[in-house]
């Protein structure tokens, strides 16, 4: 099936609404896809809710439970290394990385967030395996709850949808072009 995402008019994110709305009918089937979910244990009330959102979304779109591999890491700073280990072990088509770094009194959050985002980008480009940035970077615990199954949806759902779309995109552009005529 060729999925034409250009026709989708719904945006995945917008300031005042549920951030996790997406066009379910237009999303490719994940039946033949293989995923890893790497989840940080810091702020586990939040990250485990993100995990559930991601896992349930993959299954809802056809992923087989045996093709969803889970790896827990201590904190968000360990997400890139967890993703790398999981790529080596599980050979996924995409890795969903989930964490939550709540802003504190010092600037530790900035160091973790920027290290994780650039490491995940590098890992994606080096390996050709999309490593999805499912890291919440809230100012406080309430903002985190709002995005982990609260009024702004669940970032884990968004991360899973992004993973499915990226794997599908790779499949689509890797298909041999059909030649018409000579
Ligand atoms: C140390 C630390 C702090 C203060 N806060 C968080 C946080 O809000 N979210 C999170 O995921 N991890 C936190 N960590 C732990 C670091 O991510 C990391 O596990 C440690 O610095 C060890 O490398």
């Amino acid at each position: 099936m060729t999925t034409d995402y250009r026709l989708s008019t719904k945006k995945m994110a917008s300031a005042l609404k549920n951030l996790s709305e997406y066009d379910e009918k237009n999303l490719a089937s994940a039946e033949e896809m293989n995923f890893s979910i790497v989840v940080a244990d810091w702020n586990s009330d939040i990250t485990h809710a993100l995990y559930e959102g991601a896992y349930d979304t993959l299954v809802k779109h056809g992923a087989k439970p045996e093709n969803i591999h889970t790896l827990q890491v201590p904190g968000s700073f360990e997400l890139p290394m967890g993703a790398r280990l999981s790529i080596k072990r599980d050979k996924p088509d995409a890795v969903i990385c989930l964490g939550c770094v709540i802003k504190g009194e010092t600037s530790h959050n900035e160091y973790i967030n920027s290290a994780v985002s650039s490491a995940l980008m590098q890992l994606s480009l080096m390996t050709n395996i999309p490593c999805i940035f499912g890291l919440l970077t809230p100012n406080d615990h309430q903002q985190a709850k709002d995005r982990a199954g609260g009024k702004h949806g669940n970032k884990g759902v968004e991360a899973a949808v992004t993973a499915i779309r990226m794997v599908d995109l790779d499949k689509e552009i890797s298909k041999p072009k059909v030649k018409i005529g000579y």
Side-chain angles (χ1 to χ4, degrees), residues 8 10 13 15 37 58 63 67 70 93 97 101 118 132 150 164 172 180:
S8 171
K10 271 189 186 167
I37 307 180
L58 295 178
N67 291 338
T70 300
D93 298 310
C97 300
V101 181
S118 53
I132 310 303
I164 295 171
E172 285 300 322
I180 300 170

Side-chain angles (χ1 to χ4, degrees), residues 107-125:
S107 51
H108 80 275
N109 60 311
E110 292 169 23
Y111 289 96
I112 296 178
N113 295 342
S114 80
V116 172
S117 71
S118 53
L120 291 181
M121 177 60 80
Q122 273 181 42
L123 190 59
S124 302
L125 298 177

Side-chain angles (χ1 to χ4, degrees), residues 40 42-43 74-78 100-102 108 112:
W42 260 78
N43 301 312
S76 296
F77 191 72
E78 285 72 41
C100 172
V101 181
I102 300 177
H108 80 275
I112 296 178

